[in-house]
Amino acid sequence: MSRTAPTVRQDSVAPPRQAQDEEERLRELGYQPVLARRMGGFGNFAISFSVISVLSGCMTLYGFGLGTGGPAVMLWGWAGVGLFVLCVGLALAEVTSAYPTSGALYYMADRLGGRRWGWYTGWLNLLGLLGAIAGIDYGAALFTGAFLNLQFGFVPTPGSTFLIFLAILLLHAVLNLFGVRLVSVLNSISVWWHVGGVALIVGALAIVPDHHQSVSFVFTEFVNDTGWANPLYVAAIGLLLAQYTFCGYDASAHLSEETSNASVAAAKGIVRSIWASWLAGFALLAGLTFAIQDYAAVAGSATGVPPAQIFLDALGAGGAKALLLVVIVAQLFCGNAEVAAASRMVFAFSRDNALPGSAVWRKVSGRTQTPVPAVWLSVAVAGVLALPSLYSATAYGAVTAINVIGITPAYAIPIYLRLRAGNRFQPGPWNLGRWSKPIGWIAVGWVAIVTVLFCLPQKSPVTIDSMNYAVIALAVVLVLASAWWYAARRSYGTPAAYGNAREQAEIAEGIV
């Protein structure tokens, strides 16, 4: 990383900016507006809430949580992780308000710390976003396989699950080609689907079953099926369920160039999506755990999806299939929102010449004002990231860890650089005031801890099948980013970082 002083502009000693025309603000940051600003504040909140998606993250990793600490770690871990993530979100929202661009995290880091800070932040952010698409859509494929198993006796295999996964990726690519207005509408529907879905699942599991687990079981039962002897180590690994679910709220920042009053709306979207998901997720996890009828049967469910077994045991086949459909639709909403966020990151990174073939990936459709090639690249790379699932039963855990250890450090870097900049940082209209530093340092510390945690092996003994490949993926991306830096360092750069905004004709050439 560059050790040069932060490249914050001298005018950053000014007081917080007031609300202004967002297109004008974008030009001040060095970019010609080419995306359609058709998303409102609720739509911006909705995309992050949809990406966090407690009906995706909590449900797909519930089986992982059953063996890595069990109920106690899932419930208390959710409460604790949610609090720390809220600190990360608050600190990130403050920086987002100052720099509302599609590049989001890497643009902030470049502006506050210099080119190399921005470069590595961008590659980490990109790895996390693409890993998130793979994790979300593969989770949806697993749940779809479980539904088909209950409905038609279909027996899911790694190959058939992967084919379902590819079909879901294709669906999300096509939906994203119709423009941000459709994406915004789907995300708005998604919010109410998630809220209603959680209420329906928790209500049904509370009312219908004759037997429920005790309060003591739900909040104190510790289960260790990892092979590791140290309970603290196991509990730490078990936090992956919560930390993985609480990823993706940077989507509000990535869609800021398509959001009205983005300097305020994108910041609020980040914070609101976290606390709303925090409450909904706790209710969902508690509802599921209270309704467990046979712990061993749930953990080893023939459906391949433990929540499906909870539904089946507690509600019968008809109720289980109905709730599985609710979850699958929510996961599809989630994956669609994540493709939107990732494609905007690809577009923005290419706009600043950071990717191989940038001239292709930054092109925008003149009809829909959507970065079409960026959408296709996002789903294609996500498909490649999930390929190990064909050969390893533990690969899905690794894919989710790739998401966490890629995107989580990328959240902390602009927060750290904002703290390092001190009074030279010019806050946007949404800011934390005197709470900025304490919340910021809590956020940076938490990210440092979880980044190390999720590079550690999750199963013992560590074999080719059980090792955590996320750390290898992280290392490969950092090596490739370092190698590509020497090829692209002369052409890469954000306009604001240099004060030499790109010629608008060059950007216009990317509109097809």
Side-chain angles (χ1 to χ4, degrees):
M1 296 289 185
S2 171
R3 296 181 181 275
T4 57
T7 57
V8 185
R9 287 180 179 174
Q10 294 303 310
D11 63 2
S12 59
V13 296
R17 293 187 316 275
Q18 300 302 310
Q20 60 176 300
D21 179 77
E22 293 296 339
E23 305 288 47
E24 177 190 346
R25 176 58 184 155
L26 188 59
R27 291 187 181 93
E28 287 179 4
L29 295 174
Y31 296 117
Q32 175 70 10
V34 295
L35 301 176
R37 202 174 288 275
R38 296 170 180 165
M39 183 176 285
F42 183 80
N44 187 276
F45 150 76
I47 192 167
S48 284
F49 185 77
S50 297
V51 171
I52 293 175
S53 181
V54 295
L55 287 176
S56 179
C58 291
M59 302 296 274
T60 53
L61 279 188
Y62 190 82
F64 175 86
L66 289 174
T68 51
V73 173
M74 284 195 285
L75 270 297
W76 291 113
W78 181 268
V81 169
L83 180 60
F84 284 112
V85 170
L86 184 59
C87 290
V88 178
L90 286 165
L92 185 62
E94 180 177 55
V95 190
T96 297
S97 180
Y99 306 114
T101 72
S102 295
L105 309 180
Y106 89 85
Y107 180 91
M108 303 170 196
D110 193 309
R111 179 73 184 273
L112 291 168
R115 298 176 70 210
R116 286 209 182 190
W117 280 104
W119 178 267
Y120 283 100
T121 301
W123 280 98
L124 287 171
N125 191 196
L126 189 59
L127 171 66
L129 289 167
L130 297 175
I133 297 174
I136 293 163
D137 282 2
Y138 194 83
L142 289 172
F143 272 72
T144 302
F147 174 80
L148 295 175
N149 175 263
L150 293 177
Q151 181 66 34
F152 304 109
F154 170 80
V155 179
T157 65
S160 61
T161 300
F162 195 81
L163 289 176
I164 296 171
F165 165 67
L166 292 180
I168 293 172
L169 283 178
L170 180 61
L171 170 66
H172 288 153
V174 172
L175 288 174
N176 270 273
L177 298 182
F178 286 99
V180 73
R181 180 167 290 170
L182 177 61
V183 172
S184 183
V185 169
L186 290 174
N187 288 331
S188 297
I189 296 172
S190 171
V191 171
W192 301 114
W193 187 275
H194 275 80
V195 172
V198 169
L200 178 63
I201 291 170
V202 173
L205 293 178
I207 296 170
V208 177
D210 295 327
H211 168 73
H212 289 90
Q213 297 291 341
S214 66
V215 173
S216 175
F217 174 87
V218 171
F219 290 98
T220 65
E221 183 72 14
F222 183 86
V223 179
N224 177 13
D225 292 331
T226 65
W228 297 107
N230 190 318
L232 291 177
Y233 183 88
V234 175
I237 293 172
L239 298 179
L240 176 63
L241 181 155
Q243 188 64 49
Y244 166 68
T245 305
F246 280 118
C247 278
Y249 44 87
D250 58 314
S252 290
H254 288 296
L255 272 291
S256 59
E257 289 185 32
E258 295 157 270
T259 301
S260 301
N261 192 27
S263 298
V264 174
K268 288 183 176 180
I270 291 172
V271 177
R272 289 172 176 172
S273 66
I274 293 172
W275 67 254
S277 299
W278 191 15
L279 297 176
F282 189 85
L284 179 63
L285 289 173
L288 285 169
T289 309
F290 272 113
I292 292 176
Q293 306 296 304
D294 183 331
Y295 200 94
V298 169
S301 175
T303 67
V305 178
Q309 192 65 47
I310 294 176
F311 297 159
L312 191 62
D313 294 343
L315 308 174
K321 287 184 282 189
L323 293 189
L324 273 177
L325 282 176
V326 171
V327 173
I328 291 168
V329 172
Q331 292 172 338
L332 294 178
F333 277 129
C334 174
N336 190 64
E338 184 62 30
V339 170
S343 62
R344 271 51 175 190
M345 172 60 193
V346 171
F347 159 76
F349 218 25
S350 299
R351 180 172 59 182
D352 291 325
N353 289 317
L355 296 179
S358 286
V360 174
W361 313 124
R362 67 173 174 244
K363 289 183 178 180
V364 176
S365 167
R367 182 175 61 86
T368 63
Q369 293 180 274
T370 298
V372 173
V375 170
W376 287 115
L377 180 65
S378 299
V379 297
V381 175
V384 172
L385 286 176
L387 278 174
S389 65
L390 290 169
Y391 310 102
S392 171
T394 60
Y396 183 65
V399 170
T400 57
I402 286 172
N403 171 220
V404 172
I405 68 172
I407 207 167
T408 308
Y411 290 156
I413 292 172
I415 297 171
Y416 165 72
L417 293 173
R418 177 265 174 274
L419 293 169
R420 193 178 73 165
N423 293 332
R424 290 174 294 181
F425 170 74
Q426 180 187 352
W430 193 99
N431 59 85
L432 297 174
R434 62 191 180 93
W435 292 101
S436 180
K437 288 185 178 180
I439 290 176
W441 284 116
I442 291 172
V444 171
W446 173 247
V447 169
I449 291 170
V450 297
T451 301
V452 173
L453 283 182
F454 301 135
C455 288
L456 300 176
Q458 299 166 350
K459 292 282 187 179
S460 178
V462 180
T463 65
I464 292 177
D465 287 334
S466 66
M467 75 174 293
N468 186 351
Y469 289 95
V471 67
I472 296 177
L474 177 62
V476 168
V477 166
L478 290 177
V479 169
L480 290 176
S482 298
W484 184 244
W485 166 258
Y486 291 99
R489 66 186 187 277
R490 290 184 178 85
S491 59
Y492 162 74
T494 63
Y498 301 123
N500 61 343
R502 297 192 185 288
E503 295 181 2
Q504 303 310 317
E506 179 182 342
I507 297 177
E509 287 176 0
I511 303 177
V512 295

